[in-house]
Amino acid sequence: MPSTLAPVREIRRAQRADGPAAVLGIGTANPAFCVLQDEFPDYYFRVTKKEHLVDLKDTFKTLCRLTGLERRFFHHTEQLLNAHPGFINGTPSSSLDARLDIVAEAAPKLAAAAATEAIARWGRPATDITHLVVATSSEARAPGADLGLAALLGLRHDVRRTVLQLNGCSAGCAALCLAKDLAENNRGARVLVACVELTITSFRAPREDDTFDTLIPQALFGDGAGAVVVGADAVHAAGERRLFEMVSASQALIPGTEHLLNMRLGEGGIDGDVSAKLPIFAARHLERCLLDALAPLAIGGGEGKWNDLFWAVHPGSRGILDHIDSVLRLEPRKLAASRAVVRDYGNMLSATVIFVLDELRRRMDEEGDEASEWGVMVGFGPGFTVETMVLHATKY
């Protein structure tokens, strides 16, 4: 038995990377079409031909104002919507088929734009990518955006593909957690994470029975793609730079909260529930999740110490950030990157946290030695699920 086990352990040791996984390159992309948030209520009720719902439009204007957004980007233009009246009048199965056809063509292209930028910043050829992780809540096909993206980038035929579908806002963090495990358990691996979201799958016209809560998705979500290259060893080769080391990851499900945030695919596309109570609830439970995640590492955490960390928080909405600020007593600048992203792009589900990482990296480069060394990435998703990852910023 010992003679059999020894070689297995040696093989296992040789398969694993020597160091922790790290972010080596980040890229983002958005469609060209942009709508200013203060103009969106008029646009939305006009293109859906629901301008007669005057009271509901007033409610929607209030909702759009409370989001704190300034603009959002969309793949679906007014011309595209006019070409597919079923998206507006609620024609069932044909509407879903048409939506998925649009996503099948557009999602790989948008993801490729973000991935091309991430690979360029990484500094090595796309053929050095060994693993591909794609996250999206916009499609439900296999193969899907993963295969199209691999073809557009010219990845190797033996690249190992994994797809996360319908994981919602927390999918960006979940995909990065998976990339961490892949990089650390496969010596020499270079993992490309691509998160792409197109809200054409969930776009719908307002209904007479709509409420403040049921209109939240139409007022908050936008389109975008984010990409990250992750590796765990030999990073000095070919000029690779470790931006954020991925120290540890955890996930917590808050029991009995399925009604607060959920997603489902039906004949009319993606639908779900987003409770207006979510911001308060998320902030209330976040500190316990953070303490559990940080306790084994003995860094930061606790009253008066949260400001010692940097923060890459998925900005589900401005309200969530406001409540997190209040509960953790954070200095205004700590969530500045998250606030900038949700203001300029809206909530792009899985892609959003990658935009935050990119904005945070830019701000930390400007701050230099004043930037915090340790930080936390946080994502919220259906369930209600809280994803956390402890990050270490490598300074140069």
Side-chain angles (χ1 to χ4, degrees):
M1 183 66 71
S3 62
T4 302
L5 287 177
V8 172
R9 291 195 181 101
E10 292 172 6
I11 291 171
R12 180 74 185 108
R13 190 178 302 113
Q15 288 175 335
R16 300 188 68 180
D18 293 329
V23 172
L24 306 178
I26 306 173
T28 62
N30 297 96
F33 179 55
C34 176
V35 181
L36 298 178
Q37 186 75 342
D38 59 0
E39 299 175 359
F40 188 76
D42 290 332
Y43 168 81
Y44 177 54
F45 278 76
R46 176 173 56 80
V47 298
T48 57
K49 301 173 176 58
K50 299 293 184 179
E51 292 181 292
H52 61 284
L53 301 177
V54 179
D55 291 342
L56 189 62
K57 184 177 178 181
D58 288 340
T59 298
F60 192 67
K61 284 183 177 180
T62 300
L63 174 57
C64 286
R65 185 170 63 252
L66 291 174
T67 62
L69 277 60
E70 291 186 2
R71 62 178 184 175
R72 284 182 287 164
F73 294 84
F74 300 102
H75 174 76
H76 54 275
T77 62
E78 186 172 354
Q79 292 75 17
L80 187 149
L81 293 174
N82 288 336
H84 296 84
F87 296 173
I88 295 172
N89 61 32
T91 305
S93 58
S94 60
S95 170
L96 178 58
D97 289 344
R99 292 171 192 264
L100 294 177
D101 286 342
I102 292 169
V103 172
E105 180 180 355
K109 295 177 181 177
L110 187 60
T116 298
E117 182 177 289
I119 291 171
R121 290 180 174 178
W122 168 43
R124 287 172 56 177
T127 49
D128 284 352
I129 295 294
T130 59
H131 297 71
L132 175 63
V133 178
V134 174
T136 181
S137 294
S138 303
E139 73 170 353
R141 294 181 175 183
D146 57 319
L147 191 60
L149 175 59
L152 288 172
L153 296 177
L155 302 185
R156 299 183 335 217
H157 74 279
D158 60 347
V159 67
R160 303 180 192 180
R161 296 176 288 117
T162 303
V163 180
L164 305 179
Q165 292 182 337
L166 290 182
N167 282 48
C169 294
S170 61
C173 292
L176 289 169
C177 289
L178 175 58
K180 166 182 163 59
D181 289 346
L182 290 171
E184 292 176 348
N185 285 283
N186 295 274
R187 181 181 292 271
R190 290 298 178 268
V191 186
L192 174 62
V193 173
C195 300
V196 57
E197 304 292 357
L198 299 175
T199 52
I200 185 62
T201 319
S202 58
F203 179 86
R204 65 167 178 81
R207 300 183 290 252
E208 291 188 12
D209 61 347
D210 266 324
T211 65
F212 193 91
D213 278 17
T214 60
L215 285 171
I216 289 176
Q218 303 303 321
L220 189 60
F221 295 116
D223 295 358
V228 174
V229 177
V230 176
D233 50 12
V235 296
H236 297 298
E240 289 181 319
R241 175 185 173 186
R242 301 172 76 88
L243 303 176
F244 298 102
E245 291 178 324
M246 308 161 86
V247 182
S248 66
S250 59
Q251 181 191 90
L253 174 66
I254 311 302
T257 59
E258 296 85 352
H259 63 288
L260 290 177
L261 183 62
N262 54 65
M263 300 179 67
R264 52 190 174 271
L265 178 64
E267 291 182 333
I270 300 291
D271 199 2
D273 300 307
V274 183
S275 172
K277 299 177 181 178
L278 187 60
I280 298 176
F281 187 88
R284 184 187 304 151
H285 288 270
L286 175 60
E287 188 165 24
R288 181 70 266 161
C289 295
L290 290 171
L291 289 171
D292 291 342
L294 291 170
L297 303 175
I299 57 169
E303 187 173 353
K305 295 184 178 180
W306 293 125
N307 285 299
D308 294 340
L309 307 174
F310 64 81
W311 294 83
V313 178
H314 168 79
S317 68
R318 184 179 67 177
I320 288 179
L321 298 177
D322 288 344
H323 286 288
I324 291 174
D325 261 341
S326 177
V327 169
L328 301 183
R329 297 182 177 88
L330 295 179
E331 299 170 0
R333 65 187 180 92
K334 288 298 179 178
L335 296 183
S338 296
R339 291 186 182 279
V341 168
V342 76
R343 180 189 67 231
D344 293 339
Y345 303 98
N347 184 338
M348 298 168 288
L349 291 98
S350 66
T352 318
V353 76
I354 297 178
F355 277 71
V356 174
L357 282 175
D358 195 34
E359 177 67 16
L360 184 62
R361 175 203 56 80
R362 185 187 65 78
R363 291 171 181 258
M364 293 178 75
D365 285 346
E366 293 177 354
E367 293 175 10
D369 291 339
E370 296 181 2
S372 299
E373 182 179 2
W374 292 92
V376 183
M377 179 178 68
V378 182
F380 307 104
F384 176 71
T385 302
V386 180
E387 296 268 3
T388 58
M389 181 182 289
V390 178
L391 300 174
H392 176 252
T394 304
K395 297 183 179 181
Y396 289 79

